Amino acid sequence: MDTERFTELVAGLAGTDREGAERATEAVLSTLAEHLSRGEAADVLERLPAELQPYLHTPGPAQRFGVAEFVRRVADREGVDPSTAERHAAAVLIVLRQGIGDDEFADLTAQLPREYGPLLSGRSAMDPADAFLARVAQRAGTRVEQAGRLTSAVLETLAQRIAPGDAADLAAQLPVALQEPLRRGAETPDHRMRMTDFVIRVAERAELDLEDAVRGIPAVVAVLRDDVGDEFFDVTVQLPAEYRTLFERPGTRARR
């Protein structure tokens, strides 16, 4: 794949013009180079067009940082907001996979934490956080801004209640912007939290009254279930029966 084709594909996927695609490509590849070992960066570099190779030169040892920091660095380099940077990063990585081949891309992704999954699969570009929040708002009958507070509160509180590994697995299925509340919650676990306390904490974090929290939590859960599928079942099996009124669709019974 030559540079012209690489840039054209990035522009199409990212919804930007040629100059924007060029800036995104440089920002993403330069940030990626900071995370890779010199050997892996060299292997990827060899499969890229000559014009793109300088972006993957890494002068120092590999740095280890999470996907939120990856997006922040891309945003700083591009001069865009994190949501735009996330979409651009996903687009560049999709095209990178086509450019270097599945085998080399697999070697590259082996050096990245699992939380990078949405970026590497392209889900961050195709189903970003704002689409998730829009669906929550529609189900809850509220504004997107309030749906954002509600979603963040539910995810943080849920991560306190479930096992850290399951919180990490759940985060790996969600857009980057929705992963941070799960990480925060996992840092302050409370695995014996009762359902009433869960609702109270969500209400406090989302700045809602209890009645609105009770109505809103199922909306977040429904969208979460639709997006992560079986991963959500791994979460719900950890919760006592009292949570079913919040976490199950009406008329369903918990799987055993």
Side-chain angles (χ1 to χ4, degrees), residues 32 35-37 40-41 44 64 93-94 96-97 100-122:
L32 184 62
H35 202 300
L36 299 179
S37 67
E40 182 56 36
V44 175
R64 296 303 178 209
L93 290 169
I94 291 171
L96 180 64
R97 179 172 188 166
I100 67 176
D102 288 344
D103 290 345
E104 189 59 52
F105 194 76
D107 291 341
L108 181 158
T109 57
Q111 297 196 25
L112 301 173
R114 190 181 174 195
E115 65 184 281
Y116 279 73
L119 283 182
L120 298 171
S121 68

Side-chain angles (χ1 to χ4, degrees), residues 67 128 164 202:
V67 69
V202 168

Side-chain angles (χ1 to χ4, degrees), residues 100-223:
I100 67 176
D102 288 344
D103 290 345
E104 189 59 52
F105 194 76
D107 291 341
L108 181 158
T109 57
Q111 297 196 25
L112 301 173
R114 190 181 174 195
E115 65 184 281
Y116 279 73
L119 283 182
L120 298 171
S121 68
R123 284 184 56 216
S124 287
M126 295 180 288
D127 190 21
D130 55 1
F132 186 105
L133 298 181
R135 297 199 303 276
V136 172
Q138 182 179 31
R139 285 179 178 268
T142 187
R143 301 183 308 276
V144 172
E145 183 272 334
Q146 182 170 308
R149 298 201 315 271
L150 178 64
T151 299
S152 178
V154 170
L155 293 175
E156 182 173 351
T157 309
L158 180 62
Q160 289 184 288
R161 183 60 178 78
I162 62 179
D166 286 317
D169 289 344
L170 191 58
Q173 303 296 317
L174 295 175
V176 175
L178 300 179
Q179 295 182 11
E180 181 58 31
L182 286 164
R183 281 193 289 270
R184 286 199 307 269
E187 291 173 356
T188 57
D190 184 359
H191 302 315
R192 295 183 180 275
M193 188 191 312
R194 299 296 301 271
M195 188 267 285
T196 52
D197 293 325
F198 185 99
V199 174
I200 291 170
R201 293 186 193 187
V202 168
E204 290 175 346
R205 285 175 170 142
E207 301 178 356
L208 298 172
D209 60 39
L210 289 177
E211 184 177 346
D212 286 340
V214 170
R215 286 200 303 264
I217 290 171
V220 178
V221 170
V223 177

Side-chain angles (χ1 to χ4, degrees), residues 29-131:
L29 294 182
S30 298
T31 305
L32 184 62
E34 294 173 339
H35 202 300
L36 299 179
S37 67
R38 291 185 181 182
E40 182 56 36
D43 289 343
V44 175
L45 181 153
E46 290 177 355
R47 299 196 182 193
L48 288 176
E51 295 88 344
L52 302 182
Q53 291 181 4
Y55 304 149
L56 273 169
H57 280 295
T58 175
Q63 302 176 36
R64 296 303 178 209
F65 46 85
V67 69
E69 175 63 12
F70 184 97
V71 170
R72 187 195 67 76
R73 295 187 186 194
V74 171
D76 285 349
R77 285 187 163 112
E78 274 198 85
V80 298
D81 62 81
S83 179
T84 301
E86 181 180 352
R87 187 175 70 252
H88 288 180
V92 172
L93 290 169
I94 291 171
V95 179
L96 180 64
R97 179 172 188 166
Q98 295 182 39
I100 67 176
D102 288 344
D103 290 345
E104 189 59 52
F105 194 76
D107 291 341
L108 181 158
T109 57
Q111 297 196 25
L112 301 173
R114 190 181 174 195
E115 65 184 281
Y116 279 73
L119 283 182
L120 298 171
S121 68
R123 284 184 56 216
S124 287
M126 295 180 288
D127 190 21
D130 55 1

